[in-house]
Amino acid sequence: MENKLALASFLSQGAIVIFNFTLVYYLRECNIDSVGIGIASSIYPTVYFLGCILMPKVLPSIKGKARIIIADCGMALTGIVLTLLRTESLIMIDLVIYGLFQSLLWTNMETWITNGVEGSALTSRLTLFNFSWSFSVGVATSCAGFLSEINTRYSIWTGVLAFLAASLIVAGAGKSYEKEKRGETKEEKGEDHSSPLRFPSWAGVLLVYTGYSLVLTVFPQYAMDSLGYSESVTGNILLFRGISVTFAFLLLQRARAWQKGFLPIVLSQGAFIVLTLLMLVVKSIPGFALLFALYGAVFALSYDLSIFHGAEGAMDRHRRMVIHEVLLTIGTIAGSLVGGFVYQYFSFFSLVLVIAATAFVSLIAEGVIFGKTLGKS
């Protein structure tokens, strides 16, 4: 069962990446400016976040497996509709619906793939799951870049086929997780022993996801406008980021001991600042490939630290994971909106400085507020 779900996750995430990457170029073909692209890129993550909270209440009688199938088929449908639209307002409406369908996907997929297992079995499933979706990011980015250069509709249609294939795999994956027989998990008792390291870790993942939007939303525009890179070249550059994320996740699964302490958090955020500033210096394709490979490793590290320290010692881990997802979404929205506005009305140079300066101020504040306490943890 978990192998089929991992394959479905690979295809679904790949389709989402293809959709997100191609959307930038498709909107430019529709004569939508950078601010409009930023707004469009923030619509579906906003709706996704709201949908994750509200859709289970709206569709209480529909089981998890059915929700996943509806999500994949619904996103496929909105992808087809998108290729028929050229008007900005109609495209925005389509993206709202796309975000609603996507909100049915990951929470149900993650619940199913982790259902009924603990300890090493849970770690094994999560490792397979993280490898599957993160590996597809690199592959799909390169594929989307190549296809977008030929025709943006071809790229979107490829994503549509991946969504439909994922829905067929889920349909054959067995019983819905609500119907599976599973033992009761004992609730933790006693005092909560949550790590205070969760706070700077959450700040880090918020900042990195803001930069993540910079890479996926603004950089393709900058690469075309100022560097003259084609869609396929940009896609291949971002491929290195995807590959780096994948292998970083695998390494982090085997290296838990070093995560104790404040230093790894400081180093991850410091590296993020340096790599962001290097975007102003690097001008070659190999340079950007190396830069984004390092950026991918920092992304994986910040993501992993946020989950690890958020869950460590916590009695209510579900709530902690909700906080984690909320911060990812806020970072994505902020990066898309602010990135599009600053890039259009100021410059790529100004945008990089804004993100780096914000991260630097945050890091200093974390050191002042938590440094002495966390240094002893």
Side-chain angles (χ1 to χ4, degrees):
M1 180 271 292
E2 55 264 33
N3 290 333
K4 289 184 178 180
L5 294 182
L7 179 57
S9 298
F10 174 89
L11 290 170
S12 295
Q13 180 62 27
I16 290 171
V17 169
I18 289 174
F19 185 96
N20 295 351
F21 181 91
T22 310
L23 182 64
V24 174
Y25 296 107
Y26 184 76
L27 294 179
R28 286 173 70 95
E29 290 178 4
C30 297
N31 297 316
I32 297 175
D33 60 23
S34 296
V35 172
I37 292 174
I39 294 173
S41 299
S42 67
I43 283 179
Y44 53 87
T46 302
V47 176
Y48 168 81
F49 164 64
L50 296 174
C52 286
I53 299 173
L54 299 176
M55 290 301 278
K57 300 177 182 178
V58 176
L59 304 172
S61 61
I62 300 179
K63 302 302 181 182
K65 178 179 178 179
R67 289 178 183 175
I68 296 171
I69 295 173
I70 291 172
D72 280 319
C73 292
M75 286 188 286
L77 177 61
T78 55
I80 294 172
V81 171
L82 178 65
T83 61
L84 304 176
L85 303 175
R86 307 292 289 187
T87 305
E88 184 172 357
S89 59
L90 294 178
I91 290 174
M92 299 298 184
I93 294 173
D94 188 59
L95 292 176
V96 169
I97 299 172
Y98 171 79
L100 281 176
F101 280 122
Q102 190 178 132
S103 70
L104 295 173
L105 179 63
W106 293 119
T107 53
N108 290 290
M109 183 72 80
E110 290 163 356
T111 301
W112 194 357
I113 206 165
T114 60
N115 180 56
V117 293
E118 298 291 346
S120 60
L122 177 60
T123 299
S124 177
R125 284 194 183 184
L126 286 176
T127 300
L128 177 62
F129 174 69
N130 284 334
F131 176 83
S132 298
W133 73 256
S134 60
F135 181 68
S136 73
V137 171
V139 175
T141 302
S142 180
C143 177
F146 174 76
L147 291 172
S148 295
E149 188 172 340
I150 300 173
N151 190 309
T152 54
R153 286 184 172 84
Y154 292 168
S155 184
I156 295 173
W157 290 337
T158 300
V160 167
L161 292 176
F163 278 133
L164 294 176
S167 68
L168 292 175
I169 292 171
V170 171
K175 298 179 179 179
S176 182
Y177 60 81
E178 291 92 349
K179 298 178 182 179
E180 293 180 2
K181 186 177 180 180
R182 57 186 185 274
E184 297 294 328
T185 301
K186 294 182 179 180
E187 294 182 357
E188 297 181 43
K189 297 183 179 181
E191 295 182 3
D192 187 273
H193 297 287
S194 299
S195 169
L197 291 167
R198 67 188 184 278
F199 297 113
S201 295
W202 286 340
V205 81
L206 171 63
L207 290 169
V208 168
Y209 260 83
T210 302
Y212 181 67
S213 293
L214 161 67
V215 171
L216 294 185
T217 303
V218 179
F219 178 76
Q221 301 177 66
Y222 169 72
M224 177 176 285
D225 296 338
S226 301
L227 303 176
Y229 294 168
S230 65
E231 294 90 336
S232 60
V233 169
T234 301
N236 286 327
I237 288 174
L238 295 178
L239 168 65
F240 287 88
R241 184 200 60 82
I243 294 174
S244 175
V245 169
T246 300
F247 285 101
F249 272 130
L250 292 177
L251 291 174
L252 291 170
Q253 289 293 331
R254 303 177 183 276
R256 292 293 185 191
W258 64 270
Q259 290 179 323
K260 304 292 183 180
F262 191 34
L263 183 59
I265 300 171
V266 173
L267 292 177
S268 65
Q269 295 183 35
F272 169 73
I273 295 170
V274 172
L275 293 175
T276 301
L277 289 173
L278 283 176
M279 289 189 190
L280 302 177
V281 178
V282 175
K283 299 298 180 183
S284 67
I285 294 175
F288 276 117
L290 176 60
L291 177 64
F292 287 140
L294 295 173
Y295 199 102
V298 170
F299 163 78
L301 174 57
S302 297
Y303 183 98
D304 191 76
L305 286 170
S306 176
I307 289 183
F308 180 81
H309 292 301
E312 187 182 35
M315 295 178 64
D316 188 356
R317 293 189 175 184
H318 174 72
R319 186 171 67 88
R320 294 293 171 77
M321 294 304 103
V322 169
I323 294 173
H324 172 77
E325 289 297 327
V326 166
L327 292 173
L328 303 187
T329 306
I330 292 174
T332 301
I333 296 169
S336 297
L337 286 176
V338 175
F341 178 84
V342 174
Y343 177 68
Q344 176 164 328
Y345 291 106
F346 296 93
S347 64
F348 185 76
F349 180 85
S350 300
L351 176 58
V352 169
L353 289 183
V354 167
I355 293 176
T358 303
F360 181 75
V361 171
S362 175
L363 184 57
I364 295 298
E366 291 165 30
V368 172
I369 297 172
F370 302 110
K372 291 183 179 180
T373 301
L374 296 178
K376 300 175 183 178
S377 63

